[in-house]
Amino acid sequence: MLCVDWDLEAPGLHQYFTAAADGPGVVELIHAFANGESPDWDGAEISVEETAGGGSLSLVPAGRLDDGYPERVQRLDWEALYREDDLGSHLEDVRDRWAERYDFVLLDSRTGVTDIGGICTAQLPDLLALCFVANRQSLDGAADVARRASIARNALPYERFRVLTLPLLARLDSREEYHLAARWQASAAEAMQEFYDQWVPTGVGALSLIEQTTVPHVPVWSFGEEIPARTERGSNPQLVTYTFETIAALVARHLTNADELVRSRDEYVRVARQGYDPARPEPPSDPPAWSDDVRIAMWGPPRSGKTTLLNSLALAMRAEPGGSITAVDESALDFIVSAERDLAGARQFPAATAVSSRVRLQVDRSIPDPTWLDRLLRRPPRRRRPVQFRIDVLDPPGEAFLVAGSAQTEVLNSLVEADGLLLTIDPVGGNAGYEEFLPRLKLMMGERGRLIEGRLPYYVAVCVTKFDEPLVAAEAVQRGLAERGEIVPDQLAERYMESAGLIPYALKSYFLPDRIRYFVTSAVGGGNTGSGQPRNVVEPFFWLAQQTRRSQP
């Protein structure tokens, strides 16, 4: 990592690293360029820190801070240097050199209003981290800087994608003035909405991002030039390092998948820590084939649509471009044949499950394979990649979850060996009682030493079924969570279930919250379209397959 002190009017970044500012820096290098010399930018770098993991941190100071420094700064005519000496092309070369040598380059600049600030906010960065505090002058001024940077960026004679802006509300005291702090966060979200729209997925509110990235005011860090990350430890959200870690994860992941951050901050940070590869910013691709089965157990009350959802999987894969579903054994072949006969041919729902059944299927898909640039520009991926996975699905009768007895014991013994659970929620017929078996399951898993943080280790795909019911679809549209004729998108599914009172209390108390994902599905067409085509039934199975394979060594 390289830090460059481009705050030439008030230099001081070197104070945080106890580095002497007695050598050449940005000011001297620009003067050398103006005099027709070849500035030695590499020679100006000071190595200030190395980490145990092999990382390093270097610094280019603002300049030699002697008595002549103010006069050297004032003599720099930035407009003339750009117009007459083509300083812009020189800085492009410097920028390319830094990009080759470093994973991250951090430029410290005061504002974007001055000529100096314009270099740091328009020409050099890929990302503008916009820091401001809770007053109107700072908030409006920061937004104006970002708009100026965007205009200046568009006027550059160099090929460059638009600079993305990460608004950062800093030094907010939410301990003593909680309600006032909340109001300022809401004001910041409204003022910065246009910048979040550049990279935040649809359905994720600016306020939820502001809340994740607000830097709290901690008085001890107001004194001196100390770096909290060196000494502050812990996972308390009130610590500044907690927020710094969140911000670092966003930067490391190129501001992509912000919906995942809102859904599970700890998981988002974990992926950033483990999955970042400077040579290939996007997360590693899944292998093209998974050799063994992913064991999925269906779970839900009677008549909640478990069997119908499973049957519609075969139809959905037949209709998906580049997709196919293959029976692994004879019983699976019978399952596929009957599914197509009942749902597609006779257009009737399968009979309710009377006894537990298992089906083993191989699923082949062609899925979008976005590059980090696709994510950055929020454009449709141009390439796709094949994925193959095999699932072994247990479909027990719903009554087995309600009544203790031999049938429930049999199901529990099977659940112990499962990788993931698919929970079906009936928005029409009621869902009482089906979670009462969880204490027994937790006891059995605890005896086997398989609990994680005192909770069940499974990944859980929570699926609302029967979205084809007109009243169910209309209610989601009325709440603004679905378009008419469309199904609730996955990023809004949890909000929809919470607003409809469909999430059981036991769910988040027995399972790890970051291992739960929510889906809205329909076996016969969603959003009251009457299309007869299954909607969103592949995604819960695919997500479970992805998560369980990634979690295994």
Side-chain angles (χ1 to χ4, degrees):
M1 179 183 294
L2 174 67
C3 292
V4 182
D5 191 351
W6 216 292
D7 189 359
L8 306 185
E9 298 169 349
L13 193 58
H14 63 285
Q15 301 282 3
Y16 288 87
F17 307 107
T18 63
D22 53 5
V26 173
V27 171
E28 288 74 28
L29 294 167
I30 298 299
H31 272 293
F33 172 81
N35 295 332
E37 304 171 16
S38 296
D40 184 10
W41 288 88
D42 293 351
E45 295 175 8
I46 304 171
S47 179
V48 294
E49 197 162 319
E50 294 186 0
T51 67
S56 63
L57 177 63
S58 298
L59 169 70
V60 174
R64 185 181 295 109
L65 300 183
D66 53 20
D67 293 340
Y69 177 81
E71 186 269 337
R72 291 196 298 275
V73 172
Q74 293 171 2
R75 278 197 294 115
L76 288 174
D77 187 340
W78 295 96
E79 184 177 352
L81 286 170
Y82 266 83
R83 184 181 64 250
E84 300 172 8
D85 299 313
D86 199 14
L87 176 62
S89 294
H90 173 67
L91 291 181
E92 284 295 292
D93 294 337
V94 174
R95 183 182 189 275
D96 291 343
R97 171 69 172 163
W98 285 342
E100 289 177 1
R101 296 184 58 205
Y102 293 97
D103 296 334
F104 300 97
V105 178
L106 304 181
L107 301 167
D108 180 27
S109 173
R110 177 170 295 188
T111 72
V113 177
T114 65
D115 293 332
I116 301 172
I119 296 171
C120 293
T121 57
Q123 180 176 359
L124 294 179
D126 296 311
L127 169 66
L128 179 61
L130 198 64
C131 300
F132 55 94
V133 295
N135 63 62
R136 183 51 61 181
Q137 179 183 9
S138 179
L139 182 58
D140 292 344
D144 184 60
V145 166
R147 294 188 191 102
R148 288 171 179 263
S150 179
I151 294 171
R153 181 84 154 200
N154 292 335
L156 288 175
Y158 316 108
E159 286 192 14
R160 189 82 87 247
F161 298 113
R162 66 180 179 182
V163 62
L164 297 183
T165 300
L166 173 59
L168 298 174
L169 176 57
R171 301 206 306 264
L172 190 71
D173 184 0
S174 59
R175 295 183 180 182
E176 300 294 332
E177 300 291 346
Y178 174 79
H179 295 292
L180 189 58
R183 287 208 303 270
W184 273 103
Q185 285 182 318
S187 296
E190 182 179 0
M192 297 294 171
Q193 182 67 58
E194 62 185 283
F195 308 114
Y196 284 112
D197 288 343
Q198 298 171 355
W199 52 274
V200 174
T202 302
V204 177
L207 180 58
S208 61
L209 269 299
I210 285 280
E211 291 171 345
Q212 291 282 357
T213 57
T214 295
V215 181
H217 172 65
V218 179
V220 67
W221 302 120
S222 300
F223 302 96
E225 289 86 10
E226 298 294 331
I227 297 178
R230 286 176 170 160
T231 57
E232 192 176 70
R233 296 290 183 269
S235 57
N236 186 342
Q238 293 298 321
L239 299 177
V240 294
T241 48
Y242 183 89
T243 304
F244 289 165
E245 189 178 46
T246 304
I247 296 168
L250 269 169
V251 173
R253 296 183 64 173
H254 302 269
L255 303 189
T256 58
N257 304 108
D259 53 330
E260 296 179 9
L261 170 61
V262 173
R263 187 164 51 246
S264 176
R265 179 266 180 196
D266 291 345
E267 179 67 10
Y268 189 88
V269 170
R270 185 191 67 78
V271 171
R273 280 181 171 276
Q274 298 182 359
Y276 177 71
D277 179 355
R280 185 172 183 264
E282 61 268 22
S285 297
D286 295 312
W290 295 327
S291 58
D292 53 354
D293 294 359
V294 174
R295 292 163 298 195
I296 298 173
M298 308 288 285
W299 165 34
R303 292 167 293 282
S304 62
K306 296 190 304 301
T307 303
T308 302
L309 182 67
L310 180 58
N311 282 29
S312 66
L313 176 63
L315 299 185
M317 288 309 306
R318 298 289 194 207
E320 186 174 290
S324 66
I325 191 165
T326 307
V328 175
D329 52 29
E330 286 294 328
S331 63
L333 180 61
D334 293 339
F335 161 80
I336 292 176
V337 171
S338 63
E340 294 184 342
R341 181 190 63 233
D342 293 340
L343 282 177
R347 293 188 61 78
Q348 64 183 20
F349 294 110
T353 302
V355 294
S356 294
S357 62
R358 304 185 78 111
V359 59
R360 297 180 63 203
L361 302 167
Q362 177 176 299
V363 179
D364 291 87
R365 305 189 76 188
S366 174
I367 66 172
D369 188 20
T371 64
W372 72 270
L373 189 57
D374 292 329
R375 298 188 182 100
L376 195 66
L377 300 179
R378 298 175 69 185
R379 68 184 184 190
R382 299 177 181 178
R383 68 184 187 189
R384 301 180 72 86
R385 61 182 173 90
V387 170
Q388 180 186 97
F389 61 95
R390 288 169 57 160
I391 53 177
D392 182 354
V393 184
L394 170 69
D395 182 18
E399 287 78 4
F401 297 108
L402 302 178
V403 182
S406 59
Q408 186 175 102
T409 300
E410 179 184 351
V411 170
L412 288 171
N413 289 332
S414 298
L415 289 179
V416 166
E417 303 302 325
D419 297 311
L421 305 180
L422 194 152
L423 168 61
T424 52
I425 300 287
D426 183 355
V428 179
N431 300 282
Y434 63 92
E435 70 272 27
E436 293 179 1
F437 78 101
L438 289 175
R440 290 187 64 194
L441 179 60
K442 182 177 180 180
L443 177 62
M444 294 172 67
M445 296 296 281
E447 290 173 345
R448 290 163 172 77
R450 292 184 56 192
L451 298 179
I452 299 177
E453 298 177 7
R455 301 190 185 189
L456 293 167
Y458 306 103
Y459 286 90
V460 185
V462 185
C463 301
V464 165
T465 58
K466 306 179 183 180
F467 196 72
D468 46 281
E469 290 284 346
L471 291 179
V472 175
E475 185 179 18
V477 171
Q478 185 178 11
R479 290 189 171 121
L481 299 174
E483 298 292 333
R484 189 173 302 277
E486 297 295 333
I487 209 159
V488 176
D490 291 345
Q491 64 266 27
L492 298 179
E494 181 179 9
R495 188 186 304 176
Y496 162 69
M497 294 186 205
E498 286 180 340
S499 66
L502 295 174
I503 299 179
Y505 170 78
L507 191 65
K508 294 183 179 180
S509 59
Y510 276 91
F511 299 93
L512 297 165
D514 60 359
R515 293 195 174 198
I516 303 172
R517 185 83 177 260
Y518 300 87
F519 302 88
V520 176
T521 67
S522 171
V524 294
N528 195 24
T529 62
S531 66
Q533 181 62 44
R535 302 287 297 276
N536 210 38
V537 300
V538 180
E539 299 313 316
F541 293 95
F542 182 57
W543 178 78
L544 284 172
Q546 284 182 306
Q547 301 309 310
T548 53
R549 297 306 303 154
R550 286 172 177 166
S551 67
Q552 295 177 9

